[in-house]
Amino acid sequence: MKKILFVASEAVPFAKTGGLADVVGSLPKYFNKEFIDVRVMIPKYLCIDEPLRNQMTYKNHFYMDYLDQSRYVGILQYVYEGITFYFIDNEGYFNGSRPYGDGFYDLEKFCFFSRAALSSLPVIGFQPDVIHCHDWQTALIPVLLKDRFHEGEFFRSIKSVLTIHNLKFQGVWDLKTIQRLTCLPDYYFTPDKLEAYKDGNLLKGGIVYGDAITTVSDTYAQEIKLPFYGEGLDGLMRAREGSLRGILNGIDYEEFNPETDTYIVQNYHAGNFADKKGENKLALQKELGLCQDEKMFMVGVVSRLTDQKGLDLIQCVIDELCQDHIQLVILGTGEERYENMFRHYAWKYPDKVSANIYYSEAMSHKVYAACDAFLMPSLFEPCGLSQLMALRYGAVPIVRETGGLKDTVEPYNEYENSGTGFSFSNYNAHEMLDMIRYAQRVYYDKKKEWNMLTHRAMKKDYSWKASARKYEELYDWITGC
Ligand code: ADP
Ligand code: GLC
């Protein structure tokens, strides 16, 4: 039996700021339990919902020297849907109303967490064959495994995998600070290790020292070797390409299932969506105060509101778009400039634009279920889960051809009657607008084709089945068995 430990900063249903949590919380369920014992470790944030926190049981605790203080490390456990989750407790670090997002303080928090996660393993008696780390928050672990922790017999044979969910976030601060927080010797702070452009860089450490590196789609794995997408690390990605793989994300097909979803007013499936899905549109129009018309072309956006997501393209053409017979439903939070932009257009076009500037799992399901199309014109997109949810719910994706969007949305071809969505290649607002208008023409003028397109979208299988096998192969490869 192979033992795998996921260590990450977030996992559904406990803490989520983006798609990372969906991946860490759902992928473990899809490994072959006969051969793999996979467990997950995340911080015990104070902002985890109380009913979930109440289910955790105390396992052990110890004190760890870190930054000249002896610090409490509690370990709690919760077996959720058959998966063992461990929670690292330290109220000083993991308090606050959200898991993280405070820049400098996050660095110390996750350096502490990475160290505490490793130190807790002998205490709970779990010796994994592979520690699977995710993003910069846990990228220090492969470095620690090669350093001091290697001296102990317990850690010597543990291999590491680092999955890059988003290369933009690297955990960067000045060299001295990063050295202080990581407690590593000078040896590690040279440009071939944790130094990048004169700063200290945690993600870089994980990329240099991880036994294998993965990212979340094939196209993104190629893109990050180029300067445009490489976020300053494209040279390193090229140097490590022999150990770099793209493994596409999946989504939890039980959680995201229009046939059983309890958040939506009318359940449906690929066989009856044409008759039933419209009920969800009417209900959402009513709930959001939009003009109620089942035939109106409704486009959804469920997103973090950041530059990554291509929202400036929407801003550029939204006035033109609102001249069309169209409704735009936005659900998202993020940068103030985008939050205010959508609020403004909802005020300007109250019948057509609905700006929902908050986070709600329930509302996200309603939007996927109600909309005819789903807009995701990202500047870059390592994988993207929202378009997979949209496909599953028959909201035809309109995307820019980048990263995982390119790998998961097959462009509609009206001559062959194939494809599952609409895509454009250049980062250009009018190319996007042309695609939205093309989609509208098919929706309004060629209903039969539109329905066949929606049917194909819903029939696509982006569950974890195939990708979980690829991770299993990767674990076999790095452990040599
Ligand atoms: P990223 O991780 O870059 O934010 P993904 O597409 O991989 O993008 O994942 C986004 C996830 O977050 C999806 O599950 C999406 O439904 C969800 N999401 C984003 N914003 C909201 C929101 N305001 N309310 C509910 N869910 C949201
Ligand atoms: C990141 C990426 C997103 C990806 C998610 C999960 O947040 O921005 O594209 O789907 O991680 O891997």
Side-chain angles (χ1 to χ4, degrees):
M1 176 80 91
K2 199 165 278 141
K3 288 179 277 178
I4 311 291
L5 181 72
F6 274 40
V7 187
S9 54
E10 52 185 279
V12 289
F14 304 100
K16 170 165 166 176
T17 70
L20 169 63
D22 292 302
V23 173
V24 176
S26 62
L27 169 58
K29 288 196 268 179
Y30 293 86
F31 287 122
N32 188 336
K33 293 195 178 57
E34 250 181 80
F35 304 111
I36 295 208
D37 172 4
V38 58
R39 308 186 189 182
V40 182
M41 189 174 270
I42 64 168
K44 179 180 175 272
Y45 299 109
L46 207 66
C47 61
I48 295 175
D49 281 347
E50 209 177 320
L52 290 171
R53 265 192 291 132
N54 290 342
Q55 297 294 317
M56 299 174 187
T57 54
Y58 166 85
K59 246 189 111 57
N60 216 326
H61 79 274
F62 60 96
Y63 287 85
M64 181 179 83
D65 286 341
Y66 180 62
L67 302 181
D68 302 322
Q69 274 184 43
S70 170
R71 300 183 193 243
Y72 176 84
V73 180
I75 310 162
L76 291 93
Q77 179 181 323
Y78 181 3
V79 181
Y80 182 82
E81 295 185 350
I83 303 296
T84 300
F85 284 81
Y86 296 114
F87 301 87
I88 296 294
D89 184 19
N90 178 296
E91 286 191 359
Y93 281 120
F94 305 127
N95 55 19
S97 58
R98 43 186 191 151
Y100 48 92
D102 300 324
F104 176 70
Y105 192 59
D106 290 345
L107 294 167
E108 182 175 329
K109 191 188 270 192
F110 289 109
C111 285
F112 168 82
F113 174 62
S114 297
R115 210 161 258 280
L118 284 185
S119 302
S120 69
L121 296 179
V123 179
I124 53 177
F126 184 63
Q127 186 179 27
D129 299 289
V130 178
I131 299 187
H132 190 154
C133 311
H134 299 265
D135 276 352
W136 74 265
Q137 292 92 339
T138 52
L140 181 60
I141 289 177
V143 191
L144 294 176
L145 279 174
K146 289 275 150 61
D147 187 60
R148 202 169 60 86
F149 281 89
H150 230 169
E151 288 163 15
E153 193 57 45
F154 186 91
F155 293 99
R156 194 156 296 153
S157 59
I158 301 180
K159 302 285 183 196
S160 63
V161 174
L162 173 70
T163 294
I164 302 169
H165 295 264
N166 194 335
L167 193 59
K168 192 166 183 75
F169 305 110
Q170 301 181 358
V172 176
W173 212 264
D174 68 77
L175 210 58
K176 276 213 160 52
T177 304
I178 296 291
Q179 182 164 10
R180 185 175 64 82
L181 298 177
T182 55
C183 316
L184 288 168
D186 289 348
Y187 169 80
Y188 288 96
F189 293 91
T190 56
D192 57 335
K193 305 190 189 76
L194 268 73
E195 181 187 330
Y197 307 99
K198 308 231 177 311
D199 282 329
N201 186 317
L202 293 171
L203 185 71
K204 188 175 175 198
I207 299 172
V208 171
Y209 285 99
D211 293 299
I213 318 299
T214 73
T215 185
V216 287
S217 68
D218 265 332
T219 294
Y220 194 61
Q222 298 306 323
E223 285 174 342
I224 55 180
K225 290 186 242 165
L226 306 170
F228 183 81
Y229 293 100
E231 305 287 346
L233 296 184
D234 46 298
L236 176 62
M237 300 318 310
R238 290 195 295 277
R240 290 241 56 198
E241 70 183 344
S243 307
L244 170 68
R245 292 192 190 180
I247 302 181
L248 195 67
N249 284 335
I251 54 169
D252 190 334
Y253 263 42
E254 284 159 30
E255 189 67 31
F256 294 94
N257 183 357
E259 215 173 335
T260 54
D261 195 323
T262 51
Y263 290 127
I264 61 180
V265 296
Q266 176 64 62
N267 291 113
Y268 60 96
H269 53 73
N272 66 7
F273 73 90
D275 296 331
K276 306 239 164 150
K277 193 171 149 67
E279 290 293 316
N280 294 305
K281 188 193 285 184
L282 282 170
L284 190 66
Q285 287 167 331
K286 189 163 178 214
E287 181 174 350
L288 301 181
L290 290 167
C291 118
Q292 289 174 51
D293 176 356
E294 200 183 324
K295 297 212 156 38
M296 179 92 106
F297 186 59
M298 184 188 267
V299 180
V301 173
V302 178
S303 182
R304 286 185 295 118
L305 303 180
T306 68
D307 286 337
Q308 175 187 339
K309 301 295 176 179
L311 305 167
D312 46 347
L313 298 188
I314 302 181
Q315 179 164 27
C316 195
V317 294
I318 193 166
D319 274 313
E320 278 177 75
L321 201 57
C322 286
Q323 307 313 311
D324 296 357
H325 198 54
I326 194 172
Q327 280 177 341
L328 206 53
V329 176
I330 292 102
L331 173 65
T333 58
E335 287 169 31
E336 220 176 299
R337 75 173 256 233
Y338 293 125
E339 293 189 344
N340 289 338
M341 166 196 60
F342 284 123
R343 285 192 185 108
H344 169 76
Y345 287 106
W347 164 81
K348 191 167 174 186
Y349 303 105
D351 274 357
K352 294 194 161 175
V353 180
S354 167
N356 304 279
I357 310 301
Y358 52 81
Y359 186 93
S360 160
E361 200 64 32
M363 182 52 84
S364 73
H365 286 235
K366 291 183 199 176
V367 174
Y368 294 123
C371 288
D372 303 294
F374 187 81
L375 182 59
M376 202 162 166
S378 305
L379 174 61
F380 69 93
E381 197 60 74
C383 178
L385 300 175
S386 301
Q387 85 280 11
L388 303 184
M389 294 162 187
L391 285 166
R392 176 92 165 130
Y393 281 75
V396 174
I398 303 173
V399 303
R400 191 172 91 84
E401 287 157 16
T402 182
L405 298 174
K406 187 171 175 190
D407 295 349
T408 57
V409 179
E410 190 197 328
Y412 173 58
N413 182 323
E414 63 185 26
Y415 306 104
E416 293 174 2
N417 223 334
S418 64
T420 54
F422 296 86
S423 64
F424 59 99
S425 70
N426 293 307
Y427 195 72
N428 176 301
H430 281 91
E431 259 189 48
M432 178 189 75
L433 183 63
D434 284 348
M435 264 311 146
I436 301 174
R437 289 195 162 149
Y438 179 31
Q440 280 186 71
R441 282 199 302 278
V442 181
Y443 176 83
Y444 284 121
D445 304 338
K446 297 181 175 172
K447 209 29 167 246
K448 196 163 144 242
E449 275 81 355
W450 181 268
N451 284 344
M452 285 195 283
L453 167 60
T454 309
H455 184 262
R456 284 193 299 275
M458 292 185 75
K459 282 299 216 186
K460 272 278 166 192
D461 183 359
Y462 287 112
S463 65
W464 276 110
K465 248 183 274 151
S467 298
R469 297 296 86 76
K470 290 191 181 159
Y471 281 112
E472 288 172 3
E473 282 162 26
L474 180 77
Y475 301 146
D476 288 348
W477 175 59
I478 59 167
T479 55
C481 56

